[in-house]
Amino acid sequence: MAKIAFIGLGNMGAPMEVNLLKAGHKVCVFDLMPDMVKNLVSQGASTAASAKAAVAGKDFVISMLPAGQHVESVYLGNGDDSGDGSGDGSGDDSGDSNSGVLSVLDKNTVVIDSSTIDVATAQKVATKANEMGISMMDCPVSGGVAAASAGTLSFMCGGSEAVFDQVKVVLASMGKNIFHAGLHGAGQVAKMCNNMLLSIHMIGTAEALKLGVDNGLDPSVLSEIMLASSGRNWSLEVYNPYPGVMKESPASNDYRPGFMVNLMCKDLGLAMEAAQASNSATPLGALAQKLYLDHANEGHGEKDFSSILNSLV
Ligand code: NAD
């Protein structure tokens, strides 16, 4: 069993870490917000006063952080990893100071970043790691909090074939579909394409359900019909956006996240930037981005992304 440091224990990181413990790995956790790790320590994790202290002597480091600037500041430096909860980890340096976690890692430690971030930052941090003789892979995930808890996430990995073979064993404790998408950054490309599509079918699903209800249908009956028809999709199948249709879904729990509107806006921003750079036509992606940004600006940024249904008035 492996010795692992896990950095970033939020909505996704915490249940992923619990599955590592269940699989018998020894895990040391660190989050800027001390409250995030209390529950995990009671389940068998150890903790450290800083990210640098957490990674000492580990076989793997796994991070699950909000965005590119957090990943860069943790690995390359100038992040506040003191563990006193006073910083937001969003260091604005170029990363050149190299005072981050990479600077203290053993050469045989393998780094797995599962955060959803921009391709350029993923490549920059991995290149720095490689220059220092450290193996790294971008391994963003799909499946949401339910799959993180159930250990059924999909991982999309970017990096060398040799490192992919090393990380597969650990990822298998947290997920059931593990894909090698290509070289550094390829996991993030796959993830941004997937999430653009997710935003589009979530909005479409919400629209269809609202239209049905406005025309006298019961949302549960309509959901059942569409699930057995050509409108079937993941949002309808496991994440119904209409309150009361699925007991455990964020929609039935005051749209508590789950996956925040703000994070979907971030992901759509990444997809639209990439589309512009590659000159790819993404008219529905652009519209989805506008609808989600409007929704966030109306004060729903911290709600689950399925709350987009409430913007359809
Ligand atoms: P979250 O905001 O719930 O958790 C992020 C955690 O990182 C927080 O606990 C925060 O305190 C911690 N953190 C921030 N900076 C830090 C630092 N410098 N050092 C240590 N800890 C730090 O976010 P989440 O929903 O868990 O998402 C994490 C990542 O996974 C994001 O990139 C998101 O886009 C992606 N993702 C989320 C979902 C989902 O359904 N929530 C699904 C797939 C992918």
Side-chain angles (χ1 to χ4, degrees):
M1 286 299 128
K3 284 180 278 171
I4 300 172
F6 205 118
I7 304 170
L9 289 307
N11 289 317
M12 292 294 286
M16 288 167 72
E17 193 274 340
V18 169
N19 283 322
L20 290 173
L21 289 176
K22 282 184 189 157
H25 298 294
K26 282 199 173 345
V27 191
C28 180
V29 292
F30 175 73
D31 193 291
L32 280 183
M33 315 277 276
D35 277 357
M36 308 304 282
V37 304
K38 275 189 193 144
N39 189 28
L40 302 172
V41 170
S42 71
Q43 295 182 60
S46 60
T47 187
S50 69
K52 281 183 184 168
V55 303
K58 300 298 184 294
D59 303 311
F60 295 91
V61 174
I62 303 176
S63 48
M64 195 55 172
L65 298 162
Q69 72 264 31
H70 307 94
V71 172
E72 187 167 338
S73 82
V74 164
Y75 287 109
L76 301 187
N78 272 11
D80 177 356
D81 70 349
S82 61
D84 62 4
S86 61
D88 65 2
S90 55
D92 58 358
D93 69 316
S94 64
D96 291 338
S97 56
N98 231 341
S99 58
V101 159
L102 289 185
S103 67
V104 297
L105 275 189
D106 294 342
K107 296 288 176 273
N108 52 357
T109 303
V110 178
V111 179
I112 298 170
D113 179 42
S114 282
S115 326
T116 303
I117 67 170
D118 58 291
V119 176
T121 301
Q123 290 172 337
K124 175 179 174 177
V125 178
T127 303
K128 274 263 188 238
N130 288 172
E131 283 168 9
M132 298 167 78
I134 296 161
S135 299
M136 179 158 188
M137 226 171 185
D138 46 298
C139 303
V141 304
S142 176
V145 173
S149 302
T152 57
L153 289 167
S154 291
F155 284 91
M156 312 162 199
C157 307
S160 75
E161 192 75 49
V163 179
F164 181 62
D165 286 341
Q166 286 179 278
V167 302
K168 261 194 304 199
V169 189
V170 171
L171 300 185
S173 304
M174 301 179 285
K176 68 167 185 191
N177 300 301
I178 302 163
F179 299 99
H180 189 202
L183 298 177
H184 292 310
Q188 298 296 349
V189 175
K191 173 66 185 170
M192 98 195 156
C193 293
N194 180 76
N195 273 25
M196 183 183 78
L197 179 57
L198 168 64
S199 70
I200 293 167
H201 67 63
M202 177 55 82
I203 295 168
T205 301
E207 252 179 52
L209 288 169
K210 189 82 181 11
L211 177 66
V213 170
D214 289 349
N215 284 275
L217 290 191
D218 178 322
S220 298
V221 173
L222 177 57
S223 296
E224 213 177 310
I225 292 169
M226 294 195 293
L227 275 172
S229 307
S230 46
R232 183 183 191 118
N233 66 74
W234 184 92
S235 296
L236 198 56
E237 212 175 327
V238 300
Y239 216 97
N240 197 299
Y242 209 94
V245 176
M246 283 178 179
K247 207 166 129 253
E248 304 299 335
S249 73
S252 301
N253 293 283
D254 199 25
Y255 292 102
R256 259 198 321 274
F259 182 46
M260 279 188 274
V261 169
N262 283 339
L263 287 178
M264 180 53 94
C265 289
K266 175 201 67 168
D267 291 358
L268 285 167
L270 298 178
M272 291 307 101
E273 272 171 35
Q276 209 169 10
S278 58
N279 226 354
S280 308
T282 51
L284 287 181
L287 183 54
Q289 181 188 32
K290 182 190 175 315
L291 294 174
Y292 269 108
L293 284 173
D294 289 349
H295 192 46
N297 290 335
E298 279 157 21
H300 307 293
E302 296 195 349
K303 290 275 183 195
D304 185 76
F305 82 115
S306 58
S307 66
I308 195 74
L309 182 128
N310 290 333
S311 72
L312 303 172
V313 284

